[in-house]
Amino acid sequence: MQTDGGASGGGPIESVRIDAWVWSVRLAKTRSAAAALCKAGHVRINDEHVKPAQSVKIGDRVRVRQEDWERIVVVTRIVRKRVGAVVAVECYVDHSPPPPSREAALQVGLRDRGAGRPTKRERRDLDHLRGR
């Protein structure tokens, strides 16, 4: 059984809220952002959508969808308080695919300066390229 390094009084921790854990291990910048990810359905525990108050335990597989990238991690340590980046990496095993390249993301939907608003047909084509 893992402890959180004294953040909860020194006793062992078996589970913690998913929004707090995602924020603690630096998968989200703020706790409210982590809760918003959960509410929007972008966080899954063992392939099930969860609410911010759902408990996460050691061994759970957590998927966090952020923008165009999905982080897939397996929980190895429970923490309640935000920890440093070096300690945060020790709290999970990362099984995420590599992030998409920035160049590919930037080229989709570029228009020449001064070209005006897109027509309805061009907008539909752009939406199709973006996968919407």
Side-chain angles (χ1 to χ4, degrees):
M1 191 140 349
Q2 300 284 329
T3 63
D4 67 336
S8 68
I13 299 175
E14 294 181 12
S15 66
V16 68
R17 289 174 56 115
I18 186 64
D19 62 340
W21 188 83
V22 167
W23 167 73
S24 298
V25 297
R26 299 176 174 264
L27 295 177
K29 288 187 178 185
T30 64
R31 175 123 182 230
S32 60
L37 286 171
C38 294
K39 289 177 186 175
H42 298 300
V43 178
R44 293 174 174 221
I45 297 178
N46 299 325
D47 293 325
E48 293 186 22
H49 291 285
V50 294
K51 294 181 178 180
Q54 177 74 33
S55 295
V56 64
K57 299 176 287 259
I58 293 174
D60 284 345
R61 184 180 198 92
V62 178
R63 293 174 174 256
V64 180
R65 180 91 177 149
Q66 296 173 327
E67 296 168 9
D68 293 335
W69 188 33
E70 185 172 46
R71 299 287 307 265
I72 304 168
V73 297
V74 176
V75 179
T76 58
R77 183 174 169 195
I78 301 294
V79 291
R80 285 192 179 157
K81 301 289 183 181
R82 191 162 172 99
V83 293
V86 175
V87 178
V89 174
E90 297 172 356
C91 295
Y92 58 84
V93 177
D94 198 351
H95 296 289
S96 304
S101 65
R102 289 187 178 262
E103 292 80 24
L106 292 175
Q107 291 180 359
V108 174
L110 286 180
R111 291 183 53 83
D112 293 330
R113 187 169 177 87
R117 291 178 54 177
T119 64
K120 192 170 190 176
R121 182 178 185 180
E122 290 172 336
R123 183 183 52 79
R124 287 182 180 153
D125 290 340
L126 287 172
D127 287 344
H128 181 69
L129 282 173
R130 291 179 180 151
R132 293 182 190 164

